[in-house]
Amino acid sequence: MTHKTTLQGIGAAIAAYALWGLLPVYWKALNGASATEILAHRMIWSLLFLLGVLAVRRQWNWLQIIRQQRRLRLTYLASATLLAVNWGVYVWAVQINRVVEASLGYFINPLVSIALGVIVLRERLRLAQWLAIVIAATGVAWLTYNAGALPWIALALALSFGFYGLLRKQTPLGSFEALTVETLWMFPPAILWLSWLAGHNGGIYHDPGLWLLLISTGVVTAAPLLFFGAATRRIPLTMIGILQYLAPTLQLLLGVLVYGEPFSTAQLIGFSAIWTALVIYTGDSILAARRYQPITPPEQKRG
């Protein structure tokens, strides 16, 4: 891997996570539409955009796999449902000025994924990883105690995306193809919902600016995936694991500095516990990756 390739990979990863991190700005601009309407438009226009990209790339071999495996189709129906929940809750959280709590969901999501790996896939954790989970759980408990209620928006986002990742881990298609299948599943209910809104004087039909933003949700959805795919081909997953925290960090900063959401000392303590857990987990992952990295024989280094 050349230095130029690494820099390109880092740049692509930063672009992907920056776009995901700045999504609250986009959803705020769509405040004239309801969260369910935005979700329906996102499913429809994402599907059309993805199909266009796949047509340009001439990537249709995956259709044969989908046609032949009923269980795989049902798996993607389940993952599509989880994705719809995740997208819908996130847009709604932004609309009701809960961007900070939404960012918490994506901070704890990697730790939820670890827990699911242990419980469902019977993966074994190292001591540092167990420590990270305990510290993160303590942080969530602290936030719950001080708020007087569970941070359910954060937990809904973390759990829905955690289970989504678990399902996707067990499927063979790439991210673009898989998302196409998922949006295909969601296309009929999305069309039905928008048709119902139109029949009951709902929906956004007289504002060209809002229409353009709604149509562009397909590009907004797919663009970070393109950058993310380019990054995974150029840099190690451990580096991607570190950069992924850029997205919720940007969301947190937007919530506090731009949208003026409260961020108390109690919240800072709870977030700090979760950040500590992420540092421990990420550091342990980097050390483990270096420990198990194959050593290149001296004669191969001279080429």
Side-chain angles (χ1 to χ4, degrees):
M1 184 182 300
T2 66
H3 180 65
K4 181 179 179 181
T5 300
T6 300
L7 289 178
Q8 289 174 340
I10 293 173
I14 290 174
Y17 289 120
L19 288 172
W20 278 320
L22 293 172
L23 270 180
V25 177
Y26 196 87
W27 304 137
K28 286 282 188 182
L30 285 166
N31 266 345
S34 67
T36 53
E37 185 179 4
I38 294 171
L39 176 63
H41 274 283
R42 191 178 187 185
M43 290 293 181
I44 292 168
W45 299 113
S46 293
L47 173 62
L48 296 178
F49 184 80
L50 290 165
L51 289 173
V53 172
L54 292 171
V56 170
R57 293 180 171 182
R58 298 182 180 180
Q59 292 178 224
W60 303 113
N61 293 338
W62 55 275
L63 287 173
Q64 189 68 19
I65 300 173
I66 292 295
R67 279 196 295 262
Q68 292 174 349
Q69 300 185 35
R70 179 175 180 271
R71 183 176 179 180
L72 184 60
R73 293 196 299 272
L74 293 176
T75 299
Y76 280 121
L77 172 59
S79 66
T81 303
L82 288 167
L83 187 63
V85 170
N86 186 271
W87 284 0
V89 170
Y90 184 71
V91 172
W92 180 73
V94 171
Q95 288 187 331
I96 64 170
N97 301 316
R98 301 282 283 276
V99 176
V100 170
E101 187 175 343
S103 73
L104 173 63
Y106 291 111
F107 275 121
I108 65 177
N109 172 246
L111 301 167
V112 169
S113 297
I114 296 170
L116 288 174
V118 173
I119 296 168
V120 180
L121 302 179
R122 305 297 181 187
E123 296 176 353
R124 301 180 66 179
L125 296 185
R126 295 180 293 274
L127 179 61
Q129 292 174 316
W130 277 115
L131 178 62
I133 289 178
V134 170
I135 293 174
T138 303
V140 173
W142 171 260
L143 290 169
T144 300
Y145 171 76
N146 281 276
L150 277 173
W152 71 267
I153 289 177
L155 293 176
L157 290 171
L159 290 171
S160 61
F161 205 73
F163 278 101
Y164 173 75
L166 179 66
L167 288 177
R168 285 284 293 266
K169 181 179 176 65
Q170 302 173 69
T171 56
L173 301 185
S175 58
F176 251 66
E177 295 87 345
L179 185 58
T180 302
V181 178
E182 290 161 351
T183 49
L184 272 169
W185 273 119
M186 291 296 105
F187 186 81
I191 287 290
L192 288 173
W193 178 244
L194 291 181
S195 299
W196 186 89
L197 285 176
H200 291 76
N201 297 318
I204 306 298
Y205 301 104
H206 305 294
D207 188 329
L210 279 174
W211 259 114
L212 180 61
L213 288 173
L214 287 167
I215 292 171
S216 299
T217 54
V219 178
V220 169
T221 299
L225 284 174
L226 284 170
F227 284 117
F228 182 76
T232 56
R233 292 191 297 270
R234 290 171 171 83
I235 58 177
L237 287 177
T238 50
M239 191 175 294
I240 288 176
I242 296 171
L243 292 171
Q244 72 175 308
Y245 302 120
L246 173 63
T249 299
L250 285 173
Q251 293 165 13
L252 174 63
L253 292 174
L254 282 172
V256 176
L257 301 179
V258 178
Y259 301 123
E261 294 184 21
F263 192 66
S264 64
T265 302
Q267 284 177 295
L268 178 60
I269 293 171
F271 269 77
S272 296
I274 293 162
W275 293 330
T276 301
L278 292 173
V279 169
I280 292 172
Y281 166 69
T282 304
D284 178 73
S285 298
I286 293 172
L287 290 174
R290 289 178 177 175
R291 190 179 304 126
Y292 295 112
Q293 187 175 16
I295 300 174
T296 306
E299 61 269 21
Q300 293 184 3
K301 292 181 181 178
R302 291 194 297 265

